[in-house]
Amino acid sequence: MIYGFIGLGNMASAILSGIIRNGIASADDIVGSAKTKETRERVAKQFGIRTLSSNKEVAGTSDVLFLAVKPGVLPLVIEEIRDDVSRDTLIISVAAGKTTKWLTDQFDTPVKIVRCMPNTPALVGAGCSALCRNENVTDGELDLALTICRSFGTAEVVSESLMDTVGAVSGASPAYVFMFIEALADAGVKGGMPRAQAYRFAAQTVMGSGKLMLETGRHPGELKDMVTSPGGTTIEGVQVLEDEGFRGAVMDAIEAAIDKSRNL
């Protein structure tokens, strides 16, 4: 089975890493294309895969084809490759905002489409991906797509009507988490901590808090209450966050990202 990638940026690199590291495919069974020679040479050196300048050649030789380009570029890529893609090829798109119907219509022929929404923590094997499919994808092919996505984190099947929401909650939100980590570290520096140490403490705390919730299965409110002792320091900070509209600001940010995704 040949795995093809059109686009070899960060997300493609994360997927490649998971596929090879977990033995889903060897480097010899993977081919990719990218616009620049520099990118092709970098990825070929990093992963040992074969890289080409021709999107058409990649599309024509792939049993599983990843479309890992930006949404704005995707129509041009599909127009270029649609006559080269076999009806048996499983196409996995990671482009935000492009529905399975839109993708199917662009090919103008019966094709197998899985829409995947991963996030940047996939770069360190800790991604969170949502998947949906069109009517041409079999259960076995969907299981293969899930296996691939679970090689670089967790993955679940969701209703396509939720994909824009998932894209905001897990896809866009790492940016908001990094802003939170930066703010925590800035406060630590203000309090006298060396900056590098403040970043480590803040990042480890965010990672550990997420791990605690996932592994215990406890409600986040319950875990919050474990830290907020009566009359203590934490509850003072909680009140400030509530007064400043912390929760509402986060919800507004997610809503804005959802709206943007729906209009791509």
Side-chain angles (χ1 to χ4, degrees), residues 3 19 24 29 56 61 64-65 69 73 128 176 181 199 202 210 230 248:
Y3 293 79
I19 287 175
I24 295 171
D29 297 323
K56 291 171 68 66
T61 58
V64 178
L65 177 64
V69 297
V73 178
C128 182
Y176 314 147
I181 289 172
Y199 282 139

Side-chain angles (χ1 to χ4, degrees), residues 1 35 40 65 78 98-99 122 149 164 219 247 264:
M1 182 174 287
K35 185 176 181 180
R40 295 193 298 270
L65 177 64
I78 294 176
K98 299 303 184 184
T99 67
C149 291
D164 293 310
H219 189 281
R247 295 174 195 247
L264 283 175

Side-chain angles (χ1 to χ4, degrees), residues 29-256:
D29 297 323
I30 302 173
V31 61
S33 59
K35 185 176 181 180
T36 68
K37 181 180 179 181
E38 179 184 8
T39 298
R40 295 193 298 270
E41 290 179 347
R42 174 180 55 78
V43 172
K45 181 178 180 180
Q46 181 178 359
F47 296 105
I49 70 168
R50 184 164 60 103
T51 59
L52 305 167
S53 60
S54 171
N55 294 335
K56 291 171 68 66
E57 188 173 350
V58 171
T61 58
S62 298
D63 300 297
V64 178
L65 177 64
F66 284 88
L67 301 179
V69 297
K70 298 294 185 183
V73 178
L74 194 55
L76 296 175
V77 169
I78 294 176
E79 183 179 2
E80 178 186 4
I81 69 171
R82 62 186 173 193
D83 293 334
D84 301 282
V85 175
S86 166
R87 291 190 177 190
D88 294 325
T89 299
L90 179 62
I91 301 168
I92 303 177
S93 169
V94 299
K98 299 303 184 184
T99 67
T100 57
K101 182 181 186 308
W102 182 91
L103 290 159
T104 304
D105 289 347
Q106 298 302 301
F107 279 95
D108 197 29
T109 187
V111 286
K112 300 173 183 287
I113 299 286
V114 170
R115 182 181 172 192
C116 174
M117 181 57 62
N119 63 4
T120 54
L123 290 165
V124 292
C128 182
S129 302
L131 286 78
C132 62
R133 59 175 165 172
N134 73 358
E135 66 276 6
N136 300 320
V137 176
T138 67
D139 290 345
E141 289 165 337
L142 180 62
D143 285 342
L144 173 59
L146 281 166
T147 297
I148 293 170
C149 291
R150 286 170 179 160
S151 74
F152 52 85
T154 63
E156 297 184 22
V157 175
V158 303
S159 166
E160 184 154 23
S161 64
L162 294 176
M163 285 295 282
D164 293 310
T165 301
V166 170
V169 171
S170 63
S173 63
Y176 314 147
V177 174
F178 295 136
M179 291 174 69
F180 180 56
I181 289 172
E182 190 175 32
L184 290 174
D186 282 345
V189 170
K190 184 178 181 180
M193 292 180 72
R195 181 162 291 278
Q197 185 180 59
Y199 282 139
R200 290 195 300 272
F201 271 66
Q204 179 65 37
T205 299
V206 170
M207 182 181 73
S209 298
K211 184 178 177 67
L212 178 63
M213 179 181 161
L214 289 171
E215 293 193 0
T216 64
R218 293 185 176 184
H219 189 281
E222 180 185 358
L223 294 172
K224 178 206 71 179
D225 290 347
M226 288 172 56
V227 189
T228 50
S229 303
T233 58
T234 304
I235 193 64
E236 292 293 326
V238 167
Q239 181 178 345
V240 172
L241 291 175
E242 296 287 13
D243 290 344
E244 296 295 327
F246 177 72
R247 295 174 195 247
V250 171
M251 293 175 69
D252 287 347
I254 296 298
E255 185 175 0

